[in-house]
Amino acid sequence: MKKTMRQSISNGLKVTAAASALTVLSLPAYAEQWRGWNIHPPGYPNSVALESFAKEVAEKTEGRVEPKVYHNAVLGDQPDAIQQTRNGALDFANFNMGPMGPIVPETNVLSLPFIFKSVDDMHKVMDGEIGQRFADALAEKDLVALSWFDSGARSLYNTQRPVETPADVEGLKVRVMNNDLYVDMIDAMGGNATPMSYGEVYQSLKTGVLDGAENNYPSYESSNHFEIAPYYSLTEHLILPECLCIAKSSWESLSEQDQEIVRQAAVAAAEEQRQLWAERSKASREKVLSEGVKINEVADKSAFQEKMQPIYAEFVKAHPQLETLVNDIQAAQ
């Protein structure tokens, strides 16, 4: 009897120990495994900042949230990624506001040409009360915007000539992102706007399907578009913020403590991204200059801005509820 009892106790202890070991081994399964979307390659300013965000969240939540960034748009293009983040299939992402308009109409205001006077003005506006209005609009579409990244100022480049005035754009076939405001912008200058996938631009420039495009220094350099289109004109017509956005369902699954950790990590990531972006922009400018690109300042942008007035008028007519937002952004600079 005693032997049987001892065996029972021993067996019981073994079962308990095994169960405890299994419990310890299974603990990581309770961590939230977050998937993050990024269109850029590793090493790009946005990519580095997103990796910093993921690391800080994992460390400060002590593994309760473990974000992983998937670079190079391997999880889909931006329109697909927006939908995946809205429905919770993706947990976080870095989105440019340019293609966000069809989902969040308020963000179309940010795509109005020359809505911001400078990159610094954009930062000031987006970090304040007006930026919170955009965050509120995104939240209504199940996207929680925690901070705003930089994407520089977009300028025109082409294969033919420097652009000093809108007349220099006349007749040029210019690639734009898929947004009616960008099409209207080029058309207003007398050019022929061509919405096209970014990946097709290099070959289209090479074969003459396109005469030009518009983008910031890092993209112009890293895409090698400068090899074919050596005239870069600093129109700085678009200064588009980007968000670090969290899926609403992922955000709401967090405790208040972890929400604050994620929020602080997002703000820190934006600060890092902006600094890295400024450094990368300078390096990209120096590289294309060394390769023979002809960069010209556009000393007086008023002629370009004047061409945009009908676009503003039509925009406000179509979206009267956004007129106050347009006016407030302009007044804040």
Side-chain angles (χ1 to χ4, degrees):
M1 290 288 292
K2 290 182 179 179
K3 183 177 181 181
T4 302
M5 184 177 292
R6 284 198 298 270
Q7 288 176 336
S8 298
I9 293 171
S10 176
N11 290 339
L13 290 172
K14 289 177 181 178
V15 170
T16 302
S20 298
L22 286 173
T23 300
V24 171
L25 290 172
S26 66
L27 280 175
Y30 292 101
E32 290 286 341
Q33 306 287 334
W34 275 16
R35 298 199 310 158
W37 181 89
N38 175 35
I39 198 171
H40 302 290
Y44 201 77
N46 304 47
S47 307
V48 174
L50 287 170
E51 291 288 0
S52 295
F53 166 78
K55 182 180 179 181
E56 182 172 341
V57 168
E59 288 179 352
K60 291 191 174 179
T61 63
E62 299 179 336
R64 292 187 297 276
V65 182
E66 295 182 349
K68 180 177 180 180
V69 186
Y70 292 83
H71 304 293
N72 285 317
V74 296
L75 300 180
D77 59 16
Q78 174 153 319
D80 289 339
I82 291 172
Q83 293 296 350
Q84 290 185 67
T85 308
R86 291 180 65 201
N87 64 32
L90 292 174
D91 299 285
F92 67 102
N94 165 211
F95 291 134
N96 186 285
M97 292 295 100
M100 189 67 76
I103 304 297
V104 186
E106 289 86 346
T107 61
N108 277 320
V109 171
L110 300 170
S111 289
L112 286 167
F114 302 103
I115 188 72
F116 293 114
K117 293 179 180 179
S118 69
V119 171
D120 286 343
D121 281 317
M122 182 273 285
H123 291 163
K124 181 177 72 172
V125 169
M126 296 307 294
D127 288 344
E129 181 270 333
I130 292 174
Q132 186 57 50
R133 288 194 232 172
F134 286 108
D136 292 343
L138 286 160
E140 291 179 6
K141 302 298 181 180
D142 298 326
L143 297 168
V144 180
L146 297 183
S147 64
W148 304 102
F149 281 15
D150 197 348
S151 66
R154 298 175 73 98
S155 291
L156 289 167
Y157 54 90
N158 73 92
T159 61
Q160 304 297 314
R161 54 185 176 265
V163 171
E164 302 279 3
T165 70
D168 296 320
V169 183
E170 289 182 9
L172 295 180
K173 302 183 291 288
V174 181
R175 180 265 178 179
V176 294
M177 293 184 290
N178 189 19
N179 185 312
D180 288 344
L181 283 171
Y182 306 151
V183 173
D184 292 344
M185 174 185 69
I186 297 299
D187 288 350
M189 300 180 204
N192 299 313
T194 305
M196 181 184 292
S197 170
Y198 185 59
E200 299 174 17
V201 176
Y202 184 92
Q203 190 64 22
S204 296
L205 288 168
K206 192 172 183 178
T207 59
V209 171
L210 291 174
D211 297 309
E214 51 84 49
N215 220 316
N216 50 58
Y217 275 128
S219 296
Y220 175 60
E221 174 260 314
S222 63
S223 64
N224 294 321
H225 292 177
F226 69 91
E227 297 175 349
I228 309 162
Y231 297 99
Y232 192 92
S233 303
L234 291 170
T235 50
E236 298 181 327
H237 50 271
L238 290 175
I239 299 175
L240 288 166
E242 302 190 357
C243 75
L244 201 173
C245 285
I246 311 295
K248 187 176 182 180
S249 57
S250 302
W251 177 253
E252 291 181 343
S253 72
L254 299 173
S255 66
E256 289 186 10
Q257 176 189 359
D258 285 348
Q259 283 182 350
E260 186 57 29
I261 289 171
V262 171
R263 185 185 299 280
Q264 290 180 5
V267 171
E271 292 173 353
E272 180 181 22
Q273 190 271 345
R274 292 176 186 182
Q275 179 61 38
L276 291 173
W277 184 269
E279 295 170 2
R280 176 63 184 269
S281 293
K282 182 180 178 181
S284 293
R285 176 187 169 99
E286 291 173 352
K287 179 179 178 180
V288 299
L289 278 172
S290 71
E291 295 290 339
V293 165
K294 301 171 181 63
I295 298 175
N296 67 285
E297 300 281 346
V298 179
D300 184 4
K301 296 185 177 69
S302 61
F304 291 92
Q305 293 166 335
E306 188 65 30
K307 290 285 187 181
M308 301 303 118
Q309 293 311 305
I311 295 175
Y312 275 70
E314 284 297 318
F315 182 83
V316 169
K317 182 179 178 181
H319 308 283
Q321 75 280 12
L322 298 179
E323 182 175 11
T324 299
L325 184 55
V326 172
N327 294 336
D328 288 350
I329 290 174
Q330 292 174 325
Q333 300 176 71

